[in-house]
Structures are given as structure tokens and as C-alpha cells.
Amino acid sequence: MSSISTANKIDSYPTSNALPHGQDTLDSVLNSPLDEPGDAFCELVNRRLLWWDSAHIRTWMLDQGYSFYQRSHTSSGDPSAMVFVPDAEQQDTSFPYAYHGGEAENIWPPFSAYTGERAIVGYAQDSQGSHVAMKAILSGSGEYRILKYLQNQGVPASLDEFQNVLPVLDILSCEGHWLAIMPRWGSDPLQPDFRSMKEVFHFIHCLLRGLNYLH
């Protein structure tokens, strides 16, 4: 993965004064309270989706070396929580990036991903074509401190050193908050389905090993 200097990351994003009137920033959508499901919840989620897809963020991310997946839309034209890579091709990969392959189990194109019901996750490819996931993180939060700690641990050199916690590749300063970048491993922790009790116990073992590492 190409390196990006810290000097280029900090305060290199557009300021709110440079944006069209009424256009959201990461601060305005991340700091807004997310109420119980309802009209207000749906409105905020939609604003977050539009923020991820905004031209100024996509352009800025390209400057950082990341190209966002393309978003799908509903029949009414609204943005959906599903994203995909047009004309995606499988690649030879190495740790910490995921293996590409296996049987297609849904109607979505390869590398499709669900960005979550809270719309705080995005997906992209870096300048080398590797697939990454990124999560919007509140500045000063406990989550930020944990992710910063994990980033400082570095990326394990091999699976033998992997503690079943995805490494943090980078943390980008963005509009007063942060975007944590991690290698993308699949679409969902429980997909594909378990095919034996051995796989179930292996999954439990991985969870417990990761939990032990974090503590």
C-alpha cells in the first residue's frame, strides 16, 4: 500500500466555508444524534450516505490514494446501503488483505458490500487495487483511542503473528474527525454460512483470541 505523509492528511480536506450552503460535513452528520428508527433516523442515514458520495469527499479521497466503491440506488433513486465495484476482477493477494475467490452466493456483483444501517462505513480500493474498509470515528472518542493504539502496533508480518483483530492501516484526519482504514475481509462475519461444527468452533476460537488480545 502506498504511504501517505501525515502532512498531506491533516487539514487537507475542504473546510465548511468552502462548501455549498447547506452541504453536510463529516462533523454535521457524525455529531447528529441517531434516534430510534423513524423518519428522523432515515433522514440522517440518507444525509450520511450523501456525504460519502459527495464530490468533495470522493475527490479528496482520490488525492489520499483511495477510490470509493460505486453506490447502488433504490428504484425511487435514493442511495442505498449497498456498494459495489464495477467490472471487478479477482486478484492475487497477500496478508493482511483477504483472499479473493469462493462461490458466489448472492445476486450482487463480486465485492459488493453493505455499509451498515448507521451509514458510518465506506469501502474503497487503494492505489494498488487492494480492497479496504473505512469507518468514520468521532474525534476524542474511546473508539479513536483504541484504533490509534492498534495502528501503533503495526501490521502483523504474517498470519502466524495475527491476533484475530484486523490491523489499522491508516487513520485520516477528515473534517474535524477521523476515518480509520482497515483491510476489507468479506461482506459479513457470518458469511459464507458455516458448513460444519468445526467451522463454528474455529469462529468462536478466533473471537476469543481477538478479545484476549484487546484486553
Side-chain angles (χ1 to χ4, degrees):
M1 180 176 180
S2 60
S3 61
I4 304 167
S5 68
T6 302
N8 289 334
K9 297 180 205 171
I10 304 302
D11 297 331
S12 61
Y13 47 81
T15 64
S16 58
N17 292 333
L19 298 177
H21 178 68
Q23 182 166 326
D24 275 312
T25 65
L26 181 57
D27 182 67
S28 65
V29 295
L30 199 57
N31 261 327
S32 300
L34 198 60
D35 300 321
E36 293 297 321
D39 291 343
F41 177 95
C42 294
E43 179 184 358
L44 179 55
V45 167
N46 192 63
R47 286 170 54 202
R48 289 178 175 180
L49 294 175
L50 292 174
W51 178 83
W52 284 106
D53 292 345
S54 61
H56 77 281
I57 287 300
R58 286 184 170 267
T59 300
W60 177 71
M61 288 302 296
L62 282 173
D63 291 340
Q64 311 308 306
Y66 299 98
S67 176
F68 277 127
Y69 286 18
Q70 183 172 318
R71 187 172 304 282
S72 63
H73 290 76
T74 65
S75 57
S76 60
D78 294 325
S80 80
M82 293 299 299
V83 292
F84 64 98
V85 181
D87 304 318
E89 295 182 358
Q90 295 183 3
Q91 305 170 345
D92 293 330
T93 59
S94 58
F95 184 83
Y97 299 99
Y99 162 77
H100 297 177
E103 299 177 2
E105 297 188 355
N106 55 54
I107 62 173
W108 292 96
F111 302 104
S112 296
Y114 174 58
T115 58
E117 63 178 13
R118 295 190 298 155
I120 57 174
V121 174
Y123 294 91
Q125 288 179 274
D126 67 13
S127 57
Q128 305 301 315
S130 299
H131 293 262
V132 298
M134 56 187 69
K135 185 179 182 182
I137 307 296
L138 277 171
S139 180
S141 64
E143 184 176 19
Y144 168 74
R145 291 190 291 272
I146 292 171
L147 292 172
K148 189 63 179 178
Y149 169 80
L150 291 175
Q151 183 191 26
N152 291 337
Q153 304 311 299
V155 178
S158 68
L159 276 172
D160 293 334
E161 300 178 14
F162 182 54
Q163 298 297 320
N164 295 93
V165 175
L166 285 177
V168 178
L169 304 172
D170 207 348
I171 300 180
L172 304 179
S173 175
C174 179
E175 297 182 341
H177 299 284
W178 305 93
L179 294 177
I181 314 293
M182 293 162 277
R184 180 191 171 187
W185 277 25
S187 301
D188 184 285
L190 299 179
Q191 290 182 353
D193 295 332
F194 299 121
R195 298 187 178 183
S196 68
M197 287 302 298
K198 180 180 179 180
E199 290 185 355
V200 173
F201 284 119
H202 177 70
F203 179 74
I204 294 172
H205 173 78
C206 291
L207 292 179
L208 293 175
R209 186 178 182 187
L211 185 63
N212 180 67
Y213 174 73
L214 290 174
H215 288 75

